[in-house]
Each structure stands twice: as C-alpha cells, then as structure tokens.
Amino acid sequence: MLQPPLEIDLLRSFVAVAEGESFTSAGAALGASQSAMSVRIRKLEERLGRQLLYRTPRSIALTPFGEGFLGDARRVLEAHDDAMLRARNHLERPNLALAVSDHAAGGCLPQVLMTLAERHPEIQFLVTVGASVGIYEAFTSGQYDAVVVREESGDNKGRRLFRDKMIWAAARTFEWDPNTPLPLISLAAPCGVRATAITALEAQDIAWREVFVGTGVAAVQAAVSAGLGIAALDSRNLPDDCRPVKKSLGLPLLPATQMLLHHRLSGRRGNEIASAIAAAFRETAGH
C-alpha cells in the first residue's frame, strides 16, 4: 500500500525544530506560531507512523528514529530547493530582443542561435527575422536591443560583420530567352535586395516580370531551385542545386552587401554579448 507523500512544509518545520531545539525559535524562523509548529511535527509523525521527538515541558530531543530521519529530511529539502532555484533562474533569465535581416540570417540562423545559447545560456534571446528596413526602423524606436541589418537600411555606424557578393541565381537546368521579360523571384517590398535587383535591371533596360514573391529567403531559394525564374541572392545563400548566371545571361553586376550590427547594449557585460553576436555571425558566414 502506498504511503501518503511527505509535505515539504512539514519536513522544513521538522529540520528547523531539530536544529534549533525549540518550537519557538523554529516558528520564528518560519513565520509560524509555536502551536502551529507543534501541530506540523505531530502531523509528520502521524504520516511516518514513527515518533521523531521526545518532548518535555522544558526541552525537546530527537528520538533514535528522528536522528536518522533528519538526514533524509535535509536531503529531500536540498533537492527540492535546488530544483526550485534552477526553475526560478530559468524563468528570470534576462531577455534580449534580437532582430535579424532575413538575408543576413539565410540558412545560418540555426547555427548562430545555437552558438549564442552555448556562449550565453544565462540570456533568453527573443529573435525576430524580417526585412532590414523595417527592423532598423523598429530598432530606432526602441523595439529591439540589437539588430543585424544591411548597411543601406540605416546609418553606417554599426559594427561591421561581413561582406558578401550579391549574385543572380537560377536552377542549373533553368533557361531564359533574353527576348522575353526576365522572370524575377524576390521577397515582397520593402526589401533592399529586391530594390537593388530591379534598379540594376532597369538601368540596363532589361524587361522583367514577377513570377514569385516570397516572405522569406527560404521561400525564394525554394522557388529558384524549382526553376521558376532568377533571383538576386547573397552568394552564401545560393542553394546547392543552383548556379550564378550573370555572365551566361548578360545580367548587370550587383553590388556587394555589407551586414552591420546595431545595438544599445552597454557596459562590459553588454559589450561581451554584442561581441558574441558579431562573432557568431562572422563564424557562420565564413569570416
């Protein structure tokens, strides 16, 4: 037959009484009256079916069973308190709102987040991925603690992370007749890469038509891999089953992209975290 569980409050009361050798002092330490402490010990003894204390009008003492049980009670309380402390520390981890340009994130974001979690487990990173322009505007209004965005999305005073070539990408089997409008794959506006690609095409009078508008780089990559058309991508985001096509199709040169880290983290601790974010992106980008 299963015995009823032991209540933590009862165990804590017993340890306090045993260590202070007094119901009064134990009650004062736990915020309970002398009579309440006595009731708790009686209830614990009934639960155990054994006497824990010898009581006299002037003193109390542990029974032989009580002496042995005291060690068990301490171990249970220690395990309980350690578990509660770990849970509290987890819940009280400071939050850091980090926003990342979808083009900067690409396929490297999982590795970046894993690296940050390993190096700063005490921080709860709240991550948002979106368009550079919108992210930077939100940062300037105080919405994020740190952002990783394209250089042209705001001022250029942020910490430089890495540069990358921007290329025209298409599936290996894709073919385009230059006598027809270029089938363009891009993110939805506003998007700096989309605007750059359209500006470059129109500067050379290359007609284009939208065949796919995605909400994320992964969707653009999938459309390119499927052979739906051509997209402007950072070279590190080129899908494995695709190829650069500028030279073969006579498309205009695209400018390199520069990613910056802007943050409002301060002090030695803040600078350490900002450096960790920068290092994580540089490492995954191969810089």
Side-chain angles (χ1 to χ4, degrees):
M1 179 179 178
L2 293 176
Q3 296 295 319
L6 300 177
E7 297 176 17
I8 294 296
D9 287 346
L10 301 184
L11 293 177
R12 201 177 301 281
S13 297
F14 167 62
V15 171
V17 170
E19 292 178 345
E21 298 182 350
S22 166
F23 285 104
T24 301
S25 62
L30 298 180
S33 66
Q34 176 181 345
S35 60
M37 295 299 293
S38 180
V39 169
R40 292 178 186 178
I41 300 303
R42 289 290 187 189
K43 185 175 181 180
L44 180 59
E45 289 177 327
E46 292 173 0
R47 189 71 54 86
L48 294 169
R50 303 292 295 273
Q51 185 177 358
L52 295 169
L53 300 172
Y54 294 123
R55 301 168 178 81
T56 68
R58 294 185 177 181
S59 66
I60 60 172
L62 290 169
T63 65
F65 175 79
E67 290 180 355
F69 184 73
L70 179 59
D72 293 334
R74 284 170 172 159
R75 284 189 290 274
V76 171
L77 289 176
E78 181 179 5
H80 170 273
D81 293 347
D82 284 347
M84 291 299 294
L85 180 61
R86 287 193 296 272
R88 188 176 300 111
N89 287 342
H90 175 75
L91 291 174
E92 294 176 354
R93 284 192 298 169
N95 293 332
L96 190 152
L98 171 65
V100 182
S101 160
D102 201 2
H103 286 282
C108 73
L109 188 60
Q111 184 58 50
V112 168
L113 298 182
M114 287 176 58
T115 299
L116 290 176
E118 290 172 357
R119 295 178 183 175
H120 288 284
E122 78 283 4
I123 301 293
Q124 178 66 56
F125 289 92
L126 307 179
V127 182
T128 299
V129 176
S132 286
V133 174
I135 285 175
Y136 184 77
E137 290 176 352
F139 171 74
T140 58
S141 68
Q143 184 172 339
Y144 300 115
D145 299 306
V147 295
V148 176
V149 295
R150 296 170 59 84
E151 184 176 36
E152 64 270 20
S153 302
D155 65 59
N156 59 0
K157 296 179 182 179
R159 182 180 300 192
R160 296 181 180 275
L161 298 183
F162 57 86
R163 290 178 65 83
D164 197 4
K165 294 180 180 179
M166 195 184 303
I167 60 173
W168 296 102
R172 296 187 184 280
T173 58
F174 176 81
E175 294 183 3
W176 169 56
D177 180 358
N179 295 316
T180 63
L182 180 141
L184 182 65
I185 297 171
S186 72
L187 291 181
C191 169
V193 173
R194 170 192 171 90
T196 298
I198 292 174
T199 298
L201 291 173
E202 294 181 347
Q204 290 196 11
D205 294 325
I206 297 176
W208 59 276
R209 60 187 176 90
E210 285 185 329
V211 294
F212 184 91
V213 177
T215 57
V217 171
V220 170
Q221 291 171 319
V224 174
S225 295
L228 299 185
I230 299 173
L233 287 172
D234 296 312
S235 63
R236 71 186 185 287
N237 290 331
L238 179 69
D240 292 337
D241 55 355
C242 296
R243 73 189 197 282
V245 294
K246 171 187 172 293
K247 292 182 179 179
S248 61
L249 299 181
L251 296 176
L253 180 68
L254 295 172
T257 183
Q258 173 73 59
M259 292 298 175
L260 302 180
L261 168 65
H262 298 273
H263 69 88
R264 52 174 51 88
L265 307 173
S266 59
R268 182 180 63 83
R269 185 65 172 156
N271 287 328
E272 287 179 356
I273 296 171
S275 294
I277 295 172
F281 274 94
R282 286 171 178 154
E283 290 166 10
T284 54
H287 296 267

mmCIF file of all heavy atoms in Angstrom, residues 15-38:
data_model
loop_
_atom_site.group_PDB
_atom_site.id
_atom_site.type_symbol
_atom_site.label_atom_id
_atom_site.label_comp_id
_atom_site.label_asym_id
_atom_site.label_seq_id
_atom_site.Cartn_x
_atom_site.Cartn_y
_atom_site.Cartn_z
ATOM 1 N N VAL A 15 13.074 19.953 10.405
ATOM 2 C CA VAL A 15 14.505 20.293 10.394
ATOM 3 C C VAL A 15 14.755 21.543 11.227
ATOM 4 O O VAL A 15 15.738 21.618 11.987
ATOM 5 C CB VAL A 15 14.997 20.484 8.949
ATOM 6 C CG1 VAL A 15 16.423 21.044 8.928
ATOM 7 C CG2 VAL A 15 14.956 19.160 8.198
ATOM 8 N N ALA A 16 13.881 22.538 11.134
ATOM 9 C CA ALA A 16 14.061 23.771 11.904
ATOM 10 C C ALA A 16 13.962 23.513 13.399
ATOM 11 O O ALA A 16 14.740 24.050 14.192
ATOM 12 C CB ALA A 16 13.023 24.812 11.470
ATOM 13 N N VAL A 17 13.004 22.690 13.794
ATOM 14 C CA VAL A 17 12.852 22.363 15.208
ATOM 15 C C VAL A 17 14.053 21.559 15.703
ATOM 16 O O VAL A 17 14.600 21.816 16.782
ATOM 17 C CB VAL A 17 11.543 21.586 15.449
ATOM 18 C CG1 VAL A 17 11.491 21.038 16.875
ATOM 19 C CG2 VAL A 17 10.339 22.484 15.192
ATOM 20 N N ALA A 18 14.479 20.575 14.912
ATOM 21 C CA ALA A 18 15.604 19.733 15.321
ATOM 22 C C ALA A 18 16.890 20.546 15.445
ATOM 23 O O ALA A 18 17.680 20.339 16.377
ATOM 24 C CB ALA A 18 15.795 18.605 14.314
ATOM 25 N N GLU A 19 17.122 21.469 14.514
ATOM 26 C CA GLU A 19 18.358 22.247 14.537
ATOM 27 C C GLU A 19 18.324 23.330 15.613
ATOM 28 O O GLU A 19 19.357 23.643 16.215
ATOM 29 C CB GLU A 19 18.605 22.878 13.170
ATOM 30 C CG GLU A 19 18.937 21.843 12.090
ATOM 31 C CD GLU A 19 19.131 22.471 10.717
ATOM 32 O OE1 GLU A 19 18.729 23.644 10.543
ATOM 33 O OE2 GLU A 19 19.678 21.778 9.826
ATOM 34 N N GLY A 20 17.144 23.904 15.880
ATOM 35 C CA GLY A 20 17.046 24.957 16.898
ATOM 36 C C GLY A 20 16.704 24.437 18.272
ATOM 37 O O GLY A 20 16.769 25.194 19.248
ATOM 38 N N GLU A 21 16.319 23.134 18.322
ATOM 39 C CA GLU A 21 15.929 22.502 19.585
ATOM 40 C C GLU A 21 14.872 23.316 20.311
ATOM 41 O O GLU A 21 14.855 23.408 21.539
ATOM 42 C CB GLU A 21 17.156 22.294 20.491
ATOM 43 C CG GLU A 21 18.207 21.382 19.890
ATOM 44 C CD GLU A 21 19.378 21.147 20.812
ATOM 45 O OE1 GLU A 21 19.476 21.848 21.846
ATOM 46 O OE2 GLU A 21 20.196 20.251 20.526
ATOM 47 N N SER A 22 13.956 23.897 19.514
ATOM 48 C CA SER A 22 12.917 24.730 20.113
ATOM 49 C C SER A 22 11.806 24.952 19.114
ATOM 50 O O SER A 22 12.073 25.279 17.951
ATOM 51 C CB SER A 22 13.499 26.073 20.559
ATOM 52 O OG SER A 22 12.478 27.010 20.837
ATOM 53 N N PHE A 23 10.552 24.770 19.572
ATOM 54 C CA PHE A 23 9.415 25.081 18.710
ATOM 55 C C PHE A 23 9.305 26.586 18.500
ATOM 56 O O PHE A 23 8.925 27.059 17.435
ATOM 57 C CB PHE A 23 8.125 24.545 19.335
ATOM 58 C CG PHE A 23 7.963 23.062 19.236
ATOM 59 C CD1 PHE A 23 8.176 22.253 20.342
ATOM 60 C CD2 PHE A 23 7.596 22.479 18.039
ATOM 61 C CE1 PHE A 23 8.028 20.884 20.247
ATOM 62 C CE2 PHE A 23 7.443 21.105 17.935
ATOM 63 C CZ PHE A 23 7.667 20.306 19.044
ATOM 64 N N THR A 24 9.646 27.344 19.539
ATOM 65 C CA THR A 24 9.506 28.799 19.461
ATOM 66 C C THR A 24 10.464 29.401 18.441
ATOM 67 O O THR A 24 10.059 30.180 17.573
ATOM 68 C CB THR A 24 9.769 29.423 20.839
ATOM 69 O OG1 THR A 24 8.842 28.881 21.793
ATOM 70 C CG2 THR A 24 9.590 30.935 20.769
ATOM 71 N N SER A 25 11.753 29.050 18.549
ATOM 72 C CA SER A 25 12.741 29.615 17.617
ATOM 73 C C SER A 25 12.496 29.135 16.189
ATOM 74 O O SER A 25 12.660 29.890 15.227
ATOM 75 C CB SER A 25 14.160 29.261 18.061
ATOM 76 O OG SER A 25 14.349 27.851 18.056
ATOM 77 N N ALA A 26 12.082 27.863 16.042
ATOM 78 C CA ALA A 26 11.789 27.344 14.706
ATOM 79 C C ALA A 26 10.600 28.069 14.102
ATOM 80 O O ALA A 26 10.594 28.412 12.913
ATOM 81 C CB ALA A 26 11.526 25.849 14.779
ATOM 82 N N GLY A 27 9.579 28.329 14.930
ATOM 83 C CA GLY A 27 8.412 29.052 14.435
ATOM 84 C C GLY A 27 8.753 30.464 14.016
ATOM 85 O O GLY A 27 8.269 30.952 12.999
ATOM 86 N N ALA A 28 9.629 31.118 14.777
ATOM 87 C CA ALA A 28 10.029 32.486 14.437
ATOM 88 C C ALA A 28 10.774 32.507 13.102
ATOM 89 O O ALA A 28 10.598 33.427 12.292
ATOM 90 C CB ALA A 28 10.904 33.064 15.545
ATOM 91 N N ALA A 29 11.598 31.499 12.858
ATOM 92 C CA ALA A 29 12.364 31.445 11.612
ATOM 93 C C ALA A 29 11.472 31.200 10.410
ATOM 94 O O ALA A 29 11.756 31.683 9.300
ATOM 95 C CB ALA A 29 13.428 30.359 11.709
ATOM 96 N N LEU A 30 10.378 30.447 10.624
ATOM 97 C CA LEU A 30 9.498 30.093 9.509
ATOM 98 C C LEU A 30 8.221 30.929 9.462
ATOM 99 O O LEU A 30 7.363 30.691 8.606
ATOM 100 C CB LEU A 30 9.134 28.609 9.584
ATOM 101 C CG LEU A 30 10.300 27.620 9.462
ATOM 102 C CD1 LEU A 30 9.788 26.183 9.558
ATOM 103 C CD2 LEU A 30 11.057 27.820 8.161
ATOM 104 N N GLY A 31 8.091 31.862 10.368
ATOM 105 C CA GLY A 31 6.915 32.724 10.366
ATOM 106 C C GLY A 31 5.660 32.009 10.836
ATOM 107 O O GLY A 31 4.573 32.255 10.300
ATOM 108 N N ALA A 32 5.791 31.129 11.800
ATOM 109 C CA ALA A 32 4.642 30.378 12.320
ATOM 110 C C ALA A 32 4.679 30.410 13.846
ATOM 111 O O ALA A 32 5.731 30.637 14.456
ATOM 112 C CB ALA A 32 4.667 28.936 11.827
ATOM 113 N N SER A 33 3.544 30.178 14.461
ATOM 114 C CA SER A 33 3.473 30.176 15.924
ATOM 115 C C SER A 33 4.020 28.878 16.492
ATOM 116 O O SER A 33 4.198 27.887 15.773
ATOM 117 C CB SER A 33 2.021 30.365 16.365
ATOM 118 O OG SER A 33 1.239 29.235 15.971
ATOM 119 N N GLN A 34 4.271 28.883 17.795
ATOM 120 C CA GLN A 34 4.779 27.682 18.453
ATOM 121 C C GLN A 34 3.784 26.538 18.333
ATOM 122 O O GLN A 34 4.157 25.391 18.055
ATOM 123 C CB GLN A 34 5.060 27.982 19.930
ATOM 124 C CG GLN A 34 5.519 26.759 20.731
ATOM 125 C CD GLN A 34 5.766 27.088 22.201
ATOM 126 O OE1 GLN A 34 5.866 28.249 22.568
ATOM 127 N NE2 GLN A 34 5.850 26.066 23.028
ATOM 128 N N SER A 35 2.499 26.853 18.517
ATOM 129 C CA SER A 35 1.478 25.806 18.435
ATOM 130 C C SER A 35 1.371 25.245 17.019
ATOM 131 O O SER A 35 1.168 24.039 16.818
ATOM 132 C CB SER A 35 0.122 26.358 18.895
ATOM 133 O OG SER A 35 -0.275 27.457 18.058
ATOM 134 N N ALA A 36 1.525 26.123 15.997
ATOM 135 C CA ALA A 36 1.474 25.656 14.613
ATOM 136 C C ALA A 36 2.631 24.709 14.322
ATOM 137 O O ALA A 36 2.466 23.697 13.631
ATOM 138 C CB ALA A 36 1.500 26.838 13.663
ATOM 139 N N MET A 37 3.811 25.021 14.860
ATOM 140 C CA MET A 37 4.965 24.148 14.656
ATOM 141 C C MET A 37 4.731 22.797 15.313
ATOM 142 O O MET A 37 5.066 21.742 14.762
ATOM 143 C CB MET A 37 6.220 24.807 15.219
ATOM 144 C CG MET A 37 6.633 26.084 14.514
ATOM 145 S SD MET A 37 7.011 25.837 12.763
ATOM 146 C CE MET A 37 8.492 24.834 12.904
ATOM 147 N N SER A 38 4.143 22.808 16.471
ATOM 148 C CA SER A 38 3.863 21.555 17.170
ATOM 149 C C SER A 38 2.883 20.698 16.383
ATOM 150 O O SER A 38 3.046 19.475 16.268
ATOM 151 C CB SER A 38 3.300 21.860 18.568
ATOM 152 O OG SER A 38 3.026 20.659 19.265
#
